[in-house]
Amino acid sequence: MISTQTLAGELKALLGEDRVLTEPEQLTQRAVDTWPLRLVQQVAGAQPVLPRLVLRPRSTAEVARALAYLSERGVPVVPYGGGSGVTGGAVPTAESVVLDLGAMNQILSLDADNMTVTVQPGVLLADLERWVNERGFITGHYPQSIDVAQVGGLVATFSAGQFSTKYGNIEDMLAGLEAVLPSGEVVRVHCVPRRAVGPDLRHLWIGSEGTLGVITEVTLKLFPKPAERWMQAYAVPSMRQGLAIIQRFMQAGWKPAVVRLIDFIEAARLLQDTMPGEEALLILLSEGPSGCPAVEGAALDAIVRDGGGRPMGERPVELWLERRNDVHEFDQYINMGIIVDTIEVAAPWTRIADIYEQVTTRVRAEVPELVIIMGHSSHSYIQGTNLYFIFGAQPPRDPAEVERVYWSVWERVMAITRECGGTICHHHGIGKLRARWVPEELGSAWPLLRRLKQALDPGGVMNPGTLLPPE
Amino acid sequence: MISTQTLAGELKALLGEDRVLTEPEQLTQRAVDTWPLRLVQQVAGAQPVLPRLVLRPRSTAEVARALAYLSERGVPVVPYGGGSGVTGGAVPTAESVVLDLGAMNQILSLDADNMTVTVQPGVLLADLERWVNERGFITGHYPQSIDVAQVGGLVATFSAGQFSTKYGNIEDMLAGLEAVLPSGEVVRVHCVPRRAVGPDLRHLWIGSEGTLGVITEVTLKLFPKPAERWMQAYAVPSMRQGLAIIQRFMQAGWKPAVVRLIDFIEAARLLQDTMPGEEALLILLSEGPSGCPAVEGAALDAIVRDGGGRPMGERPVELWLERRNDVHEFDQYINMGIIVDTIEVAAPWTRIADIYEQVTTRVRAEVPELVIIMGHSSHSYIQGTNLYFIFGAQPPRDPAEVERVYWSVWERVMAITRECGGTICHHHGIGKLRARWVPEELGSAWPLLRRLKQALDPGGVMNPGTLLPPE
């Protein structure tokens, strides 16, 4: 393989000096994303694996030139967005070059009449939301990572937002895109309201996690600012009963923007007060054009009360709205060497409560290093919902021990989810973390993903080890 | 190439005598679908091209055995569903074997708690709708072909239904599926509420038109029966003004199930009465859980009146509901040698009225054989809408002349649509009819479709000439 020195020299000649970063601190900055396993291992003394160098292209043409060059030489490429991914999708290997999209951060155009906005991939979602808000629109997409995640990365990792029950997830919002294949070919999927011209090629890129090429432009659909809002919180006797209530109103055809059922442990942290017994907290928020939220709210209220819910007013919803993206505690614990991680899965209605109960009891019983496990459901559909577990575990201060404890939790949650007919991932993506379970998750469809990879990245240079497990 | 006699003998040995049809009338029955070009050419004296034989498998295992055998021998395979496609997607070549899915017509299971239903591909949509209706659900999918189209074909051709503005199109309804690759490998995409495990593999099959393999099982999402309905028709001054009205309420966040703007020529046929001047007819129908349709209806009514709409009561909506799937006139004209065809395209709001006006004026002016051209918009989105043109043309009674006149209309509509930034196909699919325009439509993304085809059907046996133009 080509030496790093030659590589850096040739890439500087190809792209310009200032596009190629080689200083140790620059490499260190992109050596991890927000994968808790690696973060805690570093606290426990592990050295991060550094990439050979970092590229900061500013245009599609530069990305294309870089990819063609790197493919030709068989150098692995790891696309890097905001670094907010929690599954190690952007963690480089020692042989790889990191392609940092952060300098491609321009909002390119607003099509106000057709309600779309076109951006470079490195635009921060929060910046985009503010920008379209000022022009009378919303993106409708509010993941917790809104302040740090970049738009291209959100598409590549199959993002879901906190208001998804009404506005949908990223696959419902992506109107068109441009991407660069490893060969350097630039492909564009032109934005139209709907197209029946063969398989929808946008879907090759949603969830591709940098393994098929690099997304270099994104056109998103926009929504009107909602005219009205209704909100209400309820205490419900248990997660199982709360899930049954949500099932009932979802299957009656209601679609409130926020449907969030929080277990008593997490609710106590949110409210800074404990729920009586093991009551769960149900947060509902409906928004939309004039008249709708009131009608929807009244219907939801009747269904929740009928299911045993006790109204708690609007205050818990307001508290959640204020605190929903605050993750400072996460950083504190990580810095103390405590593993704090999240595991989100989804399943049909008939099995989702089983998953909640089995995970919270079995992991507690079987992993002695576990300090806490709690969770909520936050993305509901007519066919089922997700569960979002948050766990804390205190391993001995040793990278290998961190790894052992980490996988002992993950393996149990993945196994329980699969036993209950769920999917191992609702929206954080696969990264390097979940790749080992992908063949089993996809089952007989696994060869289709292998063939896609082979078709678009025959040299296997794109983000090796992410999404598809190493062979 | 293997002789047809040997082929028939070996397939009978492989699948059973009764699965292999070789009688001329059996071949003739599957020699055309509902592509008007071929139908009118036959009336003008052309002989249909017959396939070598027809297979009628009854199970996935039989489809797998047949495909593995045919791939091995390089025999082209044309999957055939209800034969209701209007773009020639199921029209065989002389070298091909037709794989008729009509005997795989079992409803396999209802999951009432999770609101999904699983069927074999040959189930008629109307049968399925009745079956789920009896159990308290609806499919929400109502294409005009509901009585003749099969579920597998609807997935393979990217179907859209008349109530799509509320319930979505087939891509929003497909929960899971099973398909057989040309190699005979069976792949299943397991149904979960949402999955972020790499690119969504369902999308390889939606719109694949039999070019990548054969869909052998479909799981659809179900919806609750709507509790209430509101409907109202309006006369609006012109198609352009009607489209502006629809844009306004769609972009305010309303989603009535039916949004149908019919031009004065088509409206006169529906109402059996003429609209004053060139007024268009706007049909709106809102349905959903209790309270919603009334609120939505009142808001729509205000917006339509404000835009110059004049209320015409519920009767036109009722008439449309009664007559919407009646296509007997289509058969009558075809049998008289008159071309009656439909062309559906879509575009962003800012260009859609231009397409309507240019198509209706230019085609009328430039194609002397044209008898009538009219149209409607029937599938609206926040970003734009579709147009559905219906034209009649009377060519000389000669297959070559039929072809000349046919393409002279199609070429103009495709060119105008593309000049206006629209897509050449909203929902009828590509078939053999539109394949010639696919490379231009997809532009730089065209190589992606080529690579998908190569990855899943390396031998090129699946439905050659459909979707991808012959090389």
Side-chain angles (χ1 to χ4, degrees), chain A residues 87-155:
Chain A
T87 64
V91 170
T93 57
E95 302 76 38
S96 63
V97 160
V98 164
L99 192 80
D100 179 337
L101 281 309
M104 291 178 70
N105 61 357
Q106 300 302 303
I107 296 175
L108 298 173
S109 61
L110 173 74
D111 183 343
D113 290 330
N114 298 308
M115 287 179 65
T116 59
V117 66
T118 299
V119 301
Q120 285 191 310
V123 169
L124 290 183
L125 179 56
D127 290 343
L128 178 60
E129 176 69 17
R130 272 189 293 272
W131 193 88
V132 302
N133 286 173
E134 287 162 9
R135 286 149 183 87
F137 303 105
I138 61 170
T139 64
H141 195 54
Y142 311 114
Q144 191 176 49
S145 59
I146 185 166
D147 294 311
V148 274
Q150 297 176 0
V151 174
L154 292 167
V155 173

Side-chain angles (χ1 to χ4, degrees), chain A residues 114 171 185 194 349 451, chain B residues 114 171 185 194 349 451:
Chain A
N114 298 308
E171 64 272 27
E185 288 166 87
R194 194 220 188 204
W349 287 114
R451 290 194 200 198
Chain B
N114 298 309
E171 64 272 27
E185 288 165 87
R194 195 221 188 202
W349 286 115
R451 290 194 200 197

Side-chain angles (χ1 to χ4, degrees), chain A residues 389-441:
Chain A
F389 294 106
I390 304 161
F391 73 91
Q394 190 151 21
R397 275 217 172 212
D398 171 81
E401 283 295 293
V402 171
E403 189 124 6
R404 181 186 61 75
V405 172
Y406 188 79
W407 293 116
S408 70
V409 177
W410 267 90
E411 272 160 15
R412 281 166 176 80
V413 179
M414 295 292 96
I416 291 166
T417 301
R418 290 191 33 75
E419 284 157 26
C420 292
T423 172
I424 60 166
C425 183
H426 179 269
H427 69 274
H428 280 171
I430 299 302
K432 293 181 178 64
L433 162 54
R434 282 179 168 111
R436 62 183 69 185
W437 293 290
V438 169
E440 206 184 327
E441 162 86 16

Side-chain angles (χ1 to χ4, degrees), chain B residues 17-331:
Chain B
E17 288 273 340
D18 61 339
R19 305 290 196 272
V20 184
L21 314 184
T22 55
E23 295 300 320
E25 62 272 28
Q26 294 170 323
L27 305 187
T28 305
Q29 272 171 29
R30 283 86 169 182
V32 285
D33 51 12
T34 312
W35 188 8
L37 172 62
R38 292 284 172 262
L39 297 175
V40 178
Q41 282 182 308
Q42 283 182 40
V43 172
Q47 288 303 311
V49 173
L50 300 187
R52 301 173 80 183
L53 50 83
V54 174
L55 297 178
R56 291 264 292 177
R58 286 196 210 148
S59 68
T60 300
E62 289 181 5
V63 173
R65 240 181 293 154
L67 288 187
Y69 169 89
L70 294 165
S71 283
E72 179 94 2
R73 280 150 194 82
V75 178
V77 184
V78 180
Y80 192 97
S84 60
V86 292
T87 64
V91 170
T93 58
E95 304 75 37
S96 64
V97 160
V98 164
L99 191 80
D100 179 337
L101 280 309
M104 291 179 69
N105 61 356
Q106 301 301 303
I107 296 173
L108 298 172
S109 61
L110 173 74
D111 183 344
D113 290 331
N114 298 309
M115 289 179 64
T116 60
V117 65
T118 300
V119 301
Q120 286 191 308
V123 169
L124 290 182
L125 179 57
D127 290 343
L128 178 60
E129 176 69 17
R130 272 188 294 272
W131 193 87
V132 302
N133 286 172
E134 287 162 10
R135 286 151 183 86
F137 303 105
I138 62 170
T139 64
H141 195 54
Y142 310 114
Q144 191 175 51
S145 60
I146 184 167
D147 294 311
V148 275
Q150 297 175 359
V151 174
L154 292 168
V155 173
T157 58
F158 238 131
S159 179
Q162 292 149 344
F163 285 52
S164 72
T165 307
K166 176 175 176 61
Y167 297 105
N169 295 313
I170 199 75
E171 64 272 27
D172 305 302
M173 298 162 169
L174 180 72
L177 58 67
E178 179 191 76
V180 181
L181 299 181
S183 60
E185 288 165 87
V186 179
V187 299
R188 292 182 70 87
V189 182
H190 164 219
C191 164
V192 291
R194 195 221 188 202
R195 168 190 283 121
V197 183
D200 185 341
L201 299 169
R202 288 174 297 188
H203 279 276
L204 292 175
W205 303 99
I206 300 169
S208 60
E209 302 194 20
T211 62
L212 304 178
V214 176
I215 296 167
T216 49
E217 192 182 295
V218 171
T219 299
L220 292 179
K221 302 174 188 175
L222 296 173
F223 295 91
K225 281 189 183 170
E228 290 171 10
R229 195 176 252 192
W230 170 93
M231 54 197 203
Q232 187 66 238
Y234 300 86
V236 294
S238 66
M239 284 295 279
R240 184 173 284 274
Q241 279 177 260
L243 290 165
I245 290 169
I246 299 172
Q247 176 181 5
R248 200 170 138 208
F249 66 69
M250 290 301 300
Q251 295 190 336
W254 300 103
K255 294 179 87 173
V258 178
V259 178
R260 205 169 182 95
L261 178 69
I262 305 173
D263 75 6
F264 70 103
I265 307 177
E266 196 189 342
R269 303 180 76 83
L270 171 69
L271 303 177
Q272 297 171 340
D273 194 2
T274 50
M275 303 286 290
E278 296 202 357
E279 279 185 332
L281 173 67
L282 176 61
I283 281 176
L284 299 178
L285 184 156
S286 170
E287 62 179 32
S290 277
C292 283
V295 169
E296 183 165 66
L300 295 173
D301 186 70
I303 293 171
V304 177
R305 287 171 193 253
D306 186 64
R310 180 168 51 78
M312 294 177 67
E314 298 190 349
R315 186 66 192 136
V317 190
E318 287 163 357
L319 277 175
W320 172 74
L321 285 168
E322 284 162 25
R323 297 174 185 167
R324 60 188 160 139
N325 299 333
D326 178 359
V327 292
H328 79 279
E329 262 193 297
F330 170 89
D331 298 328

Side-chain angles (χ1 to χ4, degrees), chain A residues 10-196:
Chain A
E10 293 188 1
L11 282 165
K12 284 178 181 175
L14 194 68
L15 302 174
E17 289 273 340
D18 61 339
R19 305 291 196 274
V20 184
L21 314 184
T22 54
E23 296 300 320
E25 62 273 27
Q26 295 170 322
L27 306 187
T28 305
Q29 271 171 30
R30 283 86 171 180
V32 285
D33 51 12
T34 312
W35 188 8
L37 172 62
R38 292 284 172 263
L39 296 176
V40 178
Q41 283 183 308
Q42 283 183 40
V43 173
Q47 287 303 312
V49 172
L50 301 186
R52 302 175 79 182
L53 50 82
V54 173
L55 296 178
R56 292 264 293 177
R58 286 198 210 145
S59 67
T60 300
E62 288 181 5
V63 173
R65 239 180 294 154
L67 288 187
Y69 170 87
L70 295 166
S71 283
E72 179 93 5
R73 280 149 193 82
V75 178
V77 185
V78 180
Y80 192 96
S84 60
V86 291
T87 64
V91 170
T93 57
E95 302 76 38
S96 63
V97 160
V98 164
L99 192 80
D100 179 337
L101 281 309
M104 291 178 70
N105 61 357
Q106 300 302 303
I107 296 175
L108 298 173
S109 61
L110 173 74
D111 183 343
D113 290 330
N114 298 308
M115 287 179 65
T116 59
V117 66
T118 299
V119 301
Q120 285 191 310
V123 169
L124 290 183
L125 179 56
D127 290 343
L128 178 60
E129 176 69 17
R130 272 189 293 272
W131 193 88
V132 302
N133 286 173
E134 287 162 9
R135 286 149 183 87
F137 303 105
I138 61 170
T139 64
H141 195 54
Y142 311 114
Q144 191 176 49
S145 59
I146 185 166
D147 294 311
V148 274
Q150 297 176 0
V151 174
L154 292 167
V155 173
T157 56
F158 238 131
S159 178
Q162 291 150 345
F163 285 51
S164 72
T165 307
K166 176 175 175 64
Y167 297 106
N169 295 313
I170 199 74
E171 64 272 27
D172 306 302
M173 298 162 168
L174 180 72
L177 57 68
E178 178 191 77
V180 181
L181 298 181
S183 60
E185 288 166 87
V186 179
V187 299
R188 292 182 69 87
V189 182
H190 162 219
C191 164
V192 292
R194 194 220 188 204
R195 167 189 286 122

